Amino acid sequence: MATPKTIQIFLPDGDPRGIRVAEITTRIVQVIEVPRSLLQSFLKMPESGQVALYFLIGESDDGTDLKVYIGQTGDLRARLLKHNKDKEFWERALVMISRTNSLIKTHAEFLEWHCLQESRRAGRYADENGTKGTRPHTPAPLEADCLEIFETGQILLATLGHPIFDPVAAPVATAKTEELFFCKGSDTNGRGLYTPEGFVVLKGSVGRKENVPSIIDTAHHRLRLRLLESGVMREEGEKVVFAKDHLFRSPSMAAVALLGRNANGWLEWKSAAGKTLHAVKRA
């Protein structure tokens, strides 16, 4: 169960859009967010000389998919300079270090492996690492330290706007019946959850394959094409099926993806009792 936390964010340059250093005030782990354009400024900071775990964050060309590369190093300056030269996709680096400079290579190697597994499990960011990774041998006391470091890093990354390890929706098995909403129509049987981030259409939801003529060549049509191209939806006969949970910024976009037509998601999504999402959440 989540407990209250006090998180401090320090702005070295006084610019909220620049380098940001986040920490839970009672713990030693820090996460430093570095815009790529300010990489040289970060490399002059003493924190860049530590053993570190790092995350390179970027988007696909059309801005619809998030990407992450996870790595660890004992020579952070050299590694980030190499990635700046060789990797095109990333826009920000998130660097996890210890305020007391107490991370060692064994910590970093286990954390890299563990973070790769947890990122893939969450499925929120596309994986740019390309390999499965091998679990390193880690003594039990160090592994316990690493899991505590990971918990802190997970919270700090999400606080900075990068919830790499958080699934877009809690497992359906843990959701209460009254939290589920349904979108039903011709060839459509969708299930979803309204969350603080937006509306999540759940894996296995079924929608219409065909678009109505009025949305052809519109943003709604292009949205459905992207969902198919990215593998979020797959075609099955005359229907489309969601291959995984997917977060939409609004209930209406979630309904459009299923129905293949213009839709007001606040009215299309209904509870098991038949009440609209509007009636349950806004009225």
Side-chain angles (χ1 to χ4, degrees):
M1 181 177 179
T3 58
K5 307 275 189 309
T6 299
I7 294 175
Q8 174 178 287
I9 298 179
F10 173 60
L11 309 176
D13 300 321
D15 184 354
R17 295 163 297 183
I19 295 173
R20 300 192 290 172
V21 183
E23 62 185 58
I24 296 175
T25 53
T26 57
R27 303 185 189 179
I28 64 171
V29 176
Q30 290 181 323
V31 172
I32 305 173
E33 182 178 21
V34 184
R36 191 167 185 169
S37 62
L38 296 177
L39 179 60
Q40 293 298 332
S41 297
F42 170 68
L43 297 181
K44 295 175 183 176
M45 294 170 60
E47 290 86 349
S48 67
Q50 294 193 31
V51 172
L53 183 74
Y54 63 89
F55 308 84
L56 305 181
I57 304 292
E59 294 182 347
S60 58
D61 290 340
D62 62 5
T64 58
D65 294 314
L66 295 167
K67 300 180 179 183
V68 64
Y69 177 90
I70 301 172
Q72 57 81 25
T73 181
D75 189 348
L76 186 58
R77 294 186 179 105
R79 185 65 61 83
L80 290 181
L81 283 171
K82 186 176 189 302
H83 288 324
N84 194 38
K85 179 180 178 182
D86 297 340
K87 294 188 182 298
E88 294 293 333
F89 81 94
W90 65 282
E91 298 155 1
R92 313 185 87 75
L94 285 298
V95 178
M96 189 187 303
I97 62 168
S98 163
R99 287 194 291 113
T100 57
N101 206 356
S102 56
L103 286 186
I104 61 174
K105 191 71 170 170
T106 306
H107 287 125
E109 289 172 351
F110 179 87
L111 283 165
E112 178 187 40
W113 173 83
H114 186 68
C115 287
L116 279 169
Q117 311 317 307
E118 291 301 302
S119 173
R120 290 163 178 163
R121 180 191 58 78
R124 185 186 283 259
Y125 286 62
D127 182 356
E128 289 291 303
N129 284 74
T131 61
K132 293 183 178 179
T134 302
R135 181 185 180 120
H137 172 70
T138 310
L142 277 180
E143 182 173 329
D145 288 346
C146 288
L147 294 176
E148 185 174 316
I149 291 167
F150 170 80
E151 178 196 12
T152 303
Q154 179 180 13
I155 293 168
L156 294 176
L157 286 165
T159 299
L160 290 169
H162 307 283
I164 298 168
F165 308 114
D166 301 334
V168 295
V172 176
T174 66
K176 298 177 182 177
T177 303
E178 60 266 26
E179 294 175 340
L180 285 171
F181 290 88
F182 303 87
C183 179
K184 296 187 178 182
S186 176
D187 296 323
T188 302
N189 186 7
R191 296 183 306 154
L193 295 167
Y194 186 53
T195 77
E197 292 183 272
F199 198 93
V200 177
V201 175
L202 297 174
K203 178 180 178 179
S205 292
V206 177
R208 296 180 68 247
K209 176 181 175 181
E210 297 299 321
N211 298 290
V212 299
S214 60
I215 73 164
I216 299 298
D217 295 328
T218 68
H220 289 166
H221 182 207
R222 291 189 290 273
L223 166 68
R224 300 193 86 219
L225 288 176
R226 286 197 301 270
L227 293 172
L228 288 167
E229 290 167 358
S230 65
V232 172
M233 298 193 311
R234 65 174 184 269
E235 294 182 359
E236 289 189 5
E238 296 303 311
K239 300 177 182 179
V240 293
V241 179
F242 273 71
K244 62 179 183 178
D245 298 342
H246 187 74
L247 174 67
F248 293 87
R249 295 303 176 193
S250 74
S252 293
M253 289 298 97
V256 167
L258 287 166
L259 297 167
R261 59 171 171 79
N262 292 323
N264 182 342
W266 290 99
L267 302 180
E268 298 286 355
W269 289 101
K270 297 179 181 179
S271 69
K275 294 184 177 180
T276 65
L277 179 62
H278 168 78
V280 174
K281 297 294 184 180
R282 295 201 305 188

